[in-house]
Amino acid sequence: MTQERKVQNAVRPAELTRQEQDLSVRIGRILEIGQSLGLDPFPISFELLSASHLYELGAYGLPGRFSHWTFGKAYHAMKTRYDYGLEKMYELVINTNPAYAGLLEGNSSAANLMVAAHVMAHVDFFRHNLYFEHTRRDTDAAANRAARMRTYEFEHSPQAVEELLDIALALERHIDPQSLRFRRKTQEEYEKERLHPKPPKREGEYDDVLELVSSGPREIPRPAPRKVPPEPEQDLLLFFMQHGELEDWQKDILGMVREEAYYFYPQVMTKVMNEGWAALMHRRIMRAAGEEGILTPQEVLEWMHLDAAVVAPHARFVNPYQLGRILFERVDELHEGVVSDKLPKFDFLGRPIDYSSYRSRDDHDIFSVRSMNYDGSFLRNHLTDDLIEEHDLYLYALDSGEWKITEKDPALVREYLIELFTTGNIPFIQVEDADYRRKRGLYMRHIRGKYPQWSLDISYMEKVLSGIAQKLWKRPVHLETEIDGARVLFTCDDAGKISKSTP
Amino acid sequence: MKTPDRPHVQFSLSHPSYDLHRKGPMDQARHQEKVRQAIRDNLPEVISEEAIITSDGQKIVKIPIRGVDNPVFRWDHRKMRHAGQGTGASQTGDVIGQDPGQSQAPGRGKRAGELPGIDYYEAEFTIDELAALVFEDLSLPNLKQKTAESVEVETIRFKDIRKTGILSNLDKRRTILENMRRNAVEQRRPIFEGITTDDLRFRTWSPEFKRESNAVVIAMRDVSGSMGEFEKYITRSFYFWMIRFLRTKYQQVEIVFITHHTEAKEVDEQAFFGLGESGGTRVSSAYQLALDVIKERYPPERFNIYPYHFSDGDNWGDSDNKLCVDLVRQHLQVCNAFGYAEIHAYDGSAGKLLNAFEPLKDDPAFTTVVIKDKKDVHPALKKFFGSERQSPAAVTAAKRRRPV
């Protein structure tokens, strides 16, 4: 992939079969149609891959990524499902420039053309959605990290690397997305603020004048004792890189995992939008392709069949392709001036909504919406009650050994979905104190989530705590959380032993 | 955002001709190893399960694991709410799935049915495979090369799969799979038709010859009235695995079965496992009978001898205890190792035979173990047969003999 490539609308006749050349030509037509519809992706490098290769990429997420057994497990699980005819991955696209896309070599042309259209929309999304702005798109980054990882395996043993990766990957989801947009204060800035605290403000209009003539020195508060971390830290890997009992190479490994977490994060927070966008566009492109005679009638039937499968509803989870597409269609309708009478008439403050304004506003067309939102805002702005009802979205929970539908109220369903797609339902954990009880114990707090009945998976939590205590902190680690309404403190000593108490 | 006159979207299409990527399978191999390790860690629970011990050995044991997961901070899935989508007519109260619930022993880490809609696999193990896991690190301790009558053993490895061979060795299943794979690529339909010679797969074997020493294990069991259900069950558990272990590891191991109450007698395997009697306990009777059997049939120059005795420790009296110590000393002169396991259903070891064996505890060939719980069976196996107990020479010798 890092080799020289002639990137242009050309085919290398010596390497492709006739069928593949034909595919290449038609992919070119597909891309033209996409472009005429407004898509503007990076250049795309398509590769026809065997199943094992495609599934390997799917499991690792990035070509050339470092090794870990969790990838091996994912690879095996997906490949097994493919081998047994249970499930098929059709495409894979990577956010790089030029973008890289894998197509399954055994697929029919109709399938691969639809995939190419789908991929084109994904790359357009990667290029234009603002949450992807910061992502590094060089194709070598992952491979370079993997090479460094291998050096460490050689110098310090594969087991040592694997053990560290185990705990690093366990914590990788706990990052601080705000830090992508807002600069963090440095240690020096924190120190300066601590040593020179501002005196408390006085109340009153004439304070500035009074200050000039006040008698005696003002009360200057004493500096507070130094705290590590100065503010609760939610970027767990960063915290351990800065303060953990680690050698340089170990900090580097944490850093590599963290880098990848930030790289992937925009994809996580725009899943519904991205898939919806691609599903919307692949359908429009393929329709146009059919009309222009690029597809045979059989191929038309085939892609429609495939499309139906892609957006099919599921009883136990929400299909992002489906949800995303219907929302983009709604945005498009409004922008075109089509206002369904099922739309809410009033906003949350009770004011009547003027839908006619959507028509003319530049920021209300699908391209702007594509660029400016993440799933949270996308759902909040566009998933209206009527859509939830029309598409039969619900919430379900366990009740006496059975999974039952428990909620159909659109407002509650919407709130849940927003939470789900914004946070990924990842528990919010912060480091509060690195010197708990003056014994360099680590105090972490699990901040309660939206739903008080939920509590942490205890057996997993204990294992993670144990990993942190034994591999990263080397001293006792505490986690305060809430179980069934009561606050509980879990403590893990550096030998891995867990105990429970009340905080 | 309809932009006119733009250069075409650049793209390329290629088809790499071969895969050098083996990272997936390599990492998968590592994952498999972790699965085996997880099972090994839970073995004490698994191997004393009632269902295994009382089976006829043909049973397939299902161990529900979803592979090994890397633990993360996450919500308890069963307490959460989840979102789904219906086909239009859903109502609150509709049932959309079952939760099999917590059907396995604690400490296993994963619960069945945890993620609705996503399959997990139950790792199926035959008793043999499970046994292999249990016995990976085990072998007969202090195994010595005995003069004379070292027997050659032929083992057959039938694992090689090749593209050529004789028709009687045709591996039909693999052949069909190959054919379907090829059709899946060429015709885009994984069906079975049009076999070519390329599809055929054959099994071949290669014989291996090994030199093995002779060994005999004397299994002794207390079947007196004082051995209750629990004690009998534990004994059966242990010997069940010991015998499987011996039979899979060593082709030339004889097993002598002796049961005793106040008197001892030699029985066959069936009776050994089935017998439940009553009466008092005189352990010396068993030890004496064992010695007699050795004298008669198993000269120590030719055989590695391993007596093991299971009892609850309630012996006839102090005098018999002393006699037992003497008899064990005699055994230790001719045997490679002597193992004694005492089962304590309730706490307390006063007056038990184990205490009487105090003077023998320094002899490295004499091993004792106390079993209080089902979980102790596996550690007992490891204590008796664990490789830490072997001399370096014996270890290398045993390793050479170990089937791969």
Side-chain angles (χ1 to χ4, degrees), chain A residues 349-362:
Chain A
L349 286 177
R351 302 172 298 198
I353 306 177
D354 175 19
Y355 286 108
S356 63
S357 68
Y358 282 64
R359 193 167 181 178
S360 43
R361 289 175 61 166
D362 275 340

Side-chain angles (χ1 to χ4, degrees), chain A residues 252-285:
Chain A
D252 192 26
I253 289 183
L254 259 52
M256 288 196 270
V257 172
R258 179 171 176 267
E259 212 178 293
E260 294 192 346
Y262 275 99
Y263 169 82
F264 281 118
Y265 182 69
Q267 295 181 32
V268 169
M269 67 189 285
T270 55
K271 180 76 175 162
V272 173
M273 283 181 71
N274 202 348
E275 297 300 356
W277 181 248
L280 177 84
M281 284 300 171
H282 83 223
R283 187 166 70 177
R284 291 186 176 184
I285 292 174

Side-chain angles (χ1 to χ4, degrees), chain B residues 124-172:
Chain B
E124 288 189 347
F125 290 83
T126 60
I127 303 282
D128 284 337
E129 288 166 328
L130 209 51
L133 267 181
V134 179
F135 304 142
E136 258 178 0
D137 301 321
L138 306 184
S139 65
L140 284 171
N142 303 331
L143 198 59
K144 300 183 176 70
Q145 198 79 25
K146 294 287 176 175
T147 60
E149 267 207 60
S150 289
V151 178
E152 285 188 5
V153 170
E154 182 179 308
T155 17
I156 294 179
R157 305 259 155 274
F158 210 44
K159 286 187 184 174
D160 222 353
I161 303 291
R162 304 200 193 148
K163 280 184 163 186
T164 56
I166 51 178
L167 272 180
S168 57
N169 282 349
L170 184 69
D171 186 336
K172 294 187 188 132

Side-chain angles (χ1 to χ4, degrees), chain A residues 40-266:
Chain A
D40 176 37
F42 295 126
I44 306 175
S45 174
F46 290 97
E47 276 195 15
L48 287 161
L49 304 173
S50 68
S52 39
H53 196 164
L54 189 69
Y55 280 83
E56 189 174 281
L57 276 176
Y60 287 78
L62 278 174
R65 199 168 181 194
F66 58 78
S67 293
H68 192 251
W69 55 269
T70 45
F71 301 145
K73 172 186 171 192
Y75 165 74
H76 182 75
M78 296 199 297
K79 182 79 177 15
T80 303
R81 295 180 70 82
Y82 169 77
D83 285 342
Y84 283 107
L86 295 173
E87 216 173 69
K88 206 164 166 186
M89 185 198 329
Y90 284 83
E91 50 94 3
L92 185 96
V93 57
I94 314 278
N95 173 29
T96 47
N97 184 8
Y100 176 82
L103 304 171
L104 193 55
E105 69 187 8
N107 270 350
S108 64
S109 319
N112 275 338
L113 287 171
M114 188 176 117
V115 168
H118 191 93
V119 159
M120 183 188 188
H122 272 318
V123 180
D124 168 270
F125 192 90
F126 289 148
R127 185 174 191 175
H128 293 281
N129 180 283
L130 69 91
Y131 290 91
F132 285 83
E133 249 178 4
H134 78 281
T135 54
R136 275 183 64 183
R137 295 199 176 97
D138 43 323
T139 54
D140 301 348
N144 289 339
R145 284 191 290 266
R148 258 186 6 253
M149 201 70 82
R150 279 193 297 276
T151 326
Y152 294 143
E153 284 181 4
F154 185 68
E155 287 170 8
H156 304 281
S157 93
Q159 286 91 292
V161 172
E162 182 184 283
E163 282 174 5
L164 196 64
L165 270 180
D166 283 357
I167 187 66
L169 288 171
L171 299 176
E172 73 172 340
R173 305 183 306 168
H174 300 272
I175 57 174
D176 182 7
Q178 301 284 6
S179 62
L180 294 175
R181 316 218 81 82
F182 301 101
R183 189 182 64 83
R184 304 170 72 84
K185 285 187 201 166
T186 62
Q187 310 266 45
E188 291 76 25
E189 283 168 313
Y190 275 118
E191 264 305 278
K192 189 150 161 251
E193 276 182 17
R194 181 181 77 85
L195 292 170
H196 306 280
K198 297 207 181 80
K201 283 172 90 83
R202 301 194 207 197
E203 307 286 315
E205 283 177 60
Y206 299 101
D207 283 350
D208 50 343
V209 179
L210 288 174
E211 269 169 41
L212 291 175
V213 300
S214 68
S215 52
R218 273 189 15 230
E219 227 185 272
I220 299 190
R222 292 168 47 148
R226 192 151 167 269
K227 252 181 72 181
V228 175
E231 284 176 323
E233 179 63 78
Q234 70 184 82
D235 188 333
L236 299 185
L237 285 177
L238 179 65
F239 176 81
F240 289 115
M241 281 165 70
Q242 289 172 337
H243 302 287
E245 283 291 317
L246 298 168
E247 297 172 28
D248 282 344
W249 65 274
Q250 294 174 314
K251 293 185 184 177
D252 192 26
I253 289 183
L254 259 52
M256 288 196 270
V257 172
R258 179 171 176 267
E259 212 178 293
E260 294 192 346
Y262 275 99
Y263 169 82
F264 281 118
Y265 182 69

Side-chain angles (χ1 to χ4, degrees), chain B residues 370-389:
Chain B
V370 171
I371 297 185
K372 293 204 172 86
D373 190 89
K374 289 198 306 187
K375 302 202 312 296
D376 299 329
V377 171
H378 186 229
L381 274 171
K382 288 193 14 191
K383 195 165 181 209
F384 284 155
F385 298 115
S387 48
E388 316 88 54
R389 298 204 43 236

